[in-house]
Amino acid sequence: INRHIDAGNNLPPEFLEEIYDTIVNEPLQIESDCKLAANVEKKGWLTKQGGRIRTWKKRWFSLSQSSLSYYKSENQSPCGVIALDSLAVRISNQSSSGMSSR
């Protein structure tokens, strides 16, 4: 569902593919004066699956109201930032393996 985008109509698949390709292929640029640590609500170590090499990696994460950032270690620049603005969460009955959870 495309709420608040194009009056709720479906977006053209070519447009969505272009956005996806840009996100996957272009590195995220972060301004050096950006304060990512502001309003951090939770932080700690988690594991995430790598993008190109699909192994599990231990990363330091920080969660704020507007973003989820991850780092190779606590005192480094972020490896990635996931914007959480306008994000909706829903409960799924399937696990990431496609199996139904009980």
Side-chain angles (χ1 to χ4, degrees):
I1 297 175
N2 300 316
R3 294 183 200 157
H4 309 293
I5 300 174
D6 194 28
N9 297 319
N10 288 331
L11 296 171
E14 300 82 18
F15 177 71
L16 296 173
E17 290 171 4
E18 180 181 341
I19 291 173
Y20 175 81
D21 290 341
T22 300
I23 292 169
V24 170
N25 296 320
E26 294 183 18
L28 181 66
Q29 301 295 320
I30 300 172
E31 300 296 325
S32 61
D33 62 347
C34 179
K35 295 181 180 178
L36 294 173
N39 302 320
V40 170
E41 295 180 13
K42 299 284 182 182
K43 57 186 173 181
W45 291 101
L46 296 171
T47 54
K48 69 172 281 298
Q49 195 171 32
R52 292 187 185 126
I53 301 173
R54 307 297 287 175
T55 57
W56 289 94
K57 301 171 187 331
K58 185 177 177 182
R59 296 290 184 251
W60 179 259
F61 280 78
S62 66
L63 175 66
S64 71
Q65 284 189 322
S66 62
S67 66
L68 176 65
S69 305
Y70 61 96
Y71 313 76
K72 286 188 177 179
S73 69
E74 288 182 61
N75 301 318
Q76 290 188 339
S77 297
C79 297
V81 178
I82 302 165
L84 303 178
D85 297 336
S86 303
L87 185 71
V89 177
R90 63 183 167 90
I91 297 173
S92 173
N93 291 331
Q94 291 190 340
S95 69
S96 60
S97 66
M99 302 293 288
S100 294
S101 59
R102 295 182 187 199

